[in-house]
Amino acid sequence: MPDKIPQDSIGLVVPETIKFDEPLELACGRTLVDYQLVIETYGKLNEEKNNAVLICHALSGHHHAAGYHSPADWKPGWWDNYIGPGKPIDTDRFFVVCPNNLGGCHGSTGPSSINPETEKVWGVTFPPLRARDWVNSQAKLADKLNIKKWAAVIGGSLGGMQAMRWALEFPDRINHAIVIASAMKLSAQNIAFNEMARNAIKSDPDFQDGNFVEKNTQPRSGLALARMIGHVTYLSDEQMGSKFGRSISAGSFQQGQYNPVEFEVESYLRHQGDAFSGSFDANSYLLMTRVLDYFDLAREYDNDPVKAFSVAECDFLIISFLSDWRFSSTRSEEIVSALIDAKKNVSYAAIQSNLGHDAFLLKNENYEKTLATYMNRILTKNRRERQTDTEKGKTS
């Protein structure tokens, strides 16, 4: 953690566990008899309860989106660049909610939780999920928090898919959907990358067919390799070249000696994989990549995205990054085109960046201005609606 908490940081935050005793019917046909979500909240819900913002995390994300968990922290929440006092998602003006999704491994009910029927760890027997299951559980969470309508639902990548699903599943409970570096469905290439990552995990002998907890093992090598595969796809060629080039971290090319060379990029990826494998559950990774693969916004609307978006009532902001080849700007432009044809209010920004898919997490001046301008527009609209309601009250 820095010597002094930055002035624009939300500061120290404490996660909260929300328990749900009522059953949750899942898209697969199975039911969770009860479940829990771990969440973090920042800011305060106003009297009108119209300033609530839901943050939907991506594949390896969680509830810790901003601030610090303890004075010993060296790293803030994953979206601390954009959530906090005076930041685009201004916690002095918005009430921000970020849950760890069902199926995750950071406290919410998932494969590493106990199955109440067997009193054993769910493991690989945890029900398969869809993005709509996350949205349904988030709607139940909104009920618990006394939030009838979100000012905005925001997400990047897999989080953006959730934001779009919100607009279709609960059109009367969302005013704005902000979809960042996302797509209406995965390309075949993306599905292929996910399958490579899953096979890396399953081929680890310590995976034990998903029963590694019972066998007292951890498929860390497979999970580390899966993370390395994924991480390479999140970066751009330009970024990797400028950051690592062909720099050597160990060994040499000196003739006459056997001294294997390790490039900087190799050691970097190994570090990323090792760090991830120590903090993430392998079955959660398998489950969440499947949610990504199966997501198809228009499947139930005769594969017609215009027909799908016709259900929505909210306004949209779509953001892409020009160096992102995993979720390219073309995918965002497809969303924008469908929204225009569905006669929805949509704003679109294609941000110049050399940071690849990870750009949605990192600092970028144009990205920051775009998001801040749109969030200010939401506040302006809220004020106008409040003034209109006040004037109606005076004349009635």
Side-chain angles (χ1 to χ4, degrees):
M1 188 172 181
D3 294 336
K4 185 178 180 181
I5 295 177
Q7 191 172 3
D8 62 353
S9 171
I10 196 67
L12 296 178
V13 296
V14 179
E16 181 181 1
T17 300
I18 308 294
K19 296 184 178 181
F20 299 83
D21 294 327
E22 66 272 20
L24 181 69
E25 295 183 10
L26 303 174
C28 67
R30 295 170 64 181
T31 299
L32 290 177
V33 294
D34 56 38
Y35 58 100
Q36 68 180 34
L37 297 176
V38 174
I39 71 169
E40 284 184 8
T41 63
Y42 322 113
K44 293 182 180 180
L45 188 64
N46 61 17
E47 291 184 7
E48 295 87 355
K49 296 180 174 56
N50 66 355
N51 70 329
V53 173
L54 176 67
I55 305 296
C56 301
H57 68 74
L59 173 63
S60 58
H62 42 65
H63 54 275
H64 184 39
Y68 298 84
H69 278 166
S70 78
D73 258 350
W74 64 273
K75 187 177 181 181
W78 56 267
W79 221 24
D80 193 71
N81 288 327
Y82 294 92
I83 301 174
K87 295 180 181 180
I89 304 171
D90 191 343
T91 50
D92 287 336
R93 301 188 291 175
F94 289 104
F95 176 61
V96 182
V97 181
C98 185
N100 177 219
N101 284 339
L102 282 176
C105 52
H106 294 90
S108 293
T109 299
S112 56
S113 304
I114 299 298
N115 180 346
E117 295 181 0
T118 64
E119 297 185 353
K120 296 180 179 180
V121 171
W122 276 101
V124 75
T125 66
F126 192 80
L129 299 177
R130 300 290 183 272
R132 70 180 66 249
D133 296 320
W134 290 341
V135 169
N136 287 337
S137 67
Q138 291 160 2
K140 300 289 186 183
L141 173 62
D143 293 339
K144 286 265 191 181
L145 298 175
N146 200 22
I147 298 169
K148 294 182 179 180
K149 194 170 191 177
W150 297 105
V153 177
I154 308 174
S157 191
L158 180 55
M161 293 175 173
Q162 295 169 63
M164 288 186 285
R165 181 59 70 190
W166 255 100
L168 271 56
E169 297 297 313
F170 297 97
D172 60 338
R173 299 194 66 175
I174 169 177
N175 275 333
H176 298 267
I178 300 179
V179 180
I180 307 169
S182 194
M184 290 185 287
K185 59 184 177 182
L186 282 195
S187 66
Q189 184 186 53
N190 270 318
I191 294 173
F193 282 127
N194 287 342
E195 179 62 9
M196 289 167 62
R198 286 190 292 265
N199 277 332
I201 292 171
K202 293 176 182 178
S203 62
D204 187 329
D206 287 333
F207 181 64
Q208 296 289 333
D209 294 323
N211 301 308
F212 49 86
V213 174
E214 291 183 14
K215 303 290 186 178
N216 198 30
T217 61
Q218 287 290 333
R220 292 199 171 185
S221 294
L223 190 55
L225 180 55
R227 179 59 173 175
M228 290 168 69
I229 293 169
H231 200 69
V232 167
T233 70
Y234 304 147
L235 306 176
S236 69
D237 179 58
E238 182 181 354
Q239 181 190 20
M240 294 184 75
S242 62
K243 188 171 184 177
F244 305 109
R246 292 180 56 83
S247 299
I248 296 172
S249 62
S252 74
F253 287 110
Q254 186 175 349
Q255 291 183 350
Q257 295 184 15
Y258 180 71
N259 195 3
V261 166
E262 179 176 86
F263 291 95
E264 288 281 1
V265 68
E266 293 178 287
S267 57
Y268 168 78
L269 287 174
R270 191 172 296 113
H271 168 74
Q272 292 292 328
D274 289 345
F276 185 77
S277 67
S279 63
F280 213 86
D281 178 78
N283 283 320
S284 284
Y285 196 87
L286 297 179
L287 179 151
M288 290 191 170
T289 55
R290 283 297 187 191
V291 174
L292 260 172
D293 289 356
Y294 295 152
F295 183 83
D296 186 342
L297 192 74
R299 181 187 293 116
E300 296 169 347
Y301 298 86
D302 300 323
N303 295 311
D304 183 351
V306 177
K307 186 176 180 180
F309 279 128
S310 295
V311 175
E313 299 175 6
C314 65
D315 293 346
F316 290 81
L317 171 63
I318 312 299
I319 298 176
S320 70
F321 298 90
L322 295 177
S323 62
D324 182 357
W325 58 275
R326 183 95 195 245
F327 286 80
S328 71
S329 292
T330 300
R331 302 286 81 80
S332 290
E333 289 163 8
E334 290 170 350
I335 298 171
V336 173
S337 179
L339 286 167
I340 291 173
D341 288 345
K343 296 180 172 55
K344 303 302 172 182
N345 293 327
V346 54
S347 302
Y348 174 54
I351 305 295
Q352 181 65 50
S353 168
N354 67 346
L355 301 177
H357 187 56
D358 271 354
F360 84 91
L361 299 169
L362 305 172
K363 272 188 168 295
N364 179 299
E365 184 177 356
N366 287 337
Y367 178 30
E368 184 175 348
K369 288 180 179 178
T370 299
L371 190 54
T373 298
Y374 195 87
M375 297 305 293
N376 286 333
R377 185 188 302 177
I378 292 173
L379 291 169
T380 299
K381 186 175 180 180
N382 282 352
R383 284 194 295 270
R384 288 173 180 170
E385 290 176 349
R386 186 164 59 247
Q387 289 172 356
T388 300
D389 291 342
T390 301
E391 290 171 0
K392 287 182 179 178
K394 289 181 180 179
T395 57
S396 62

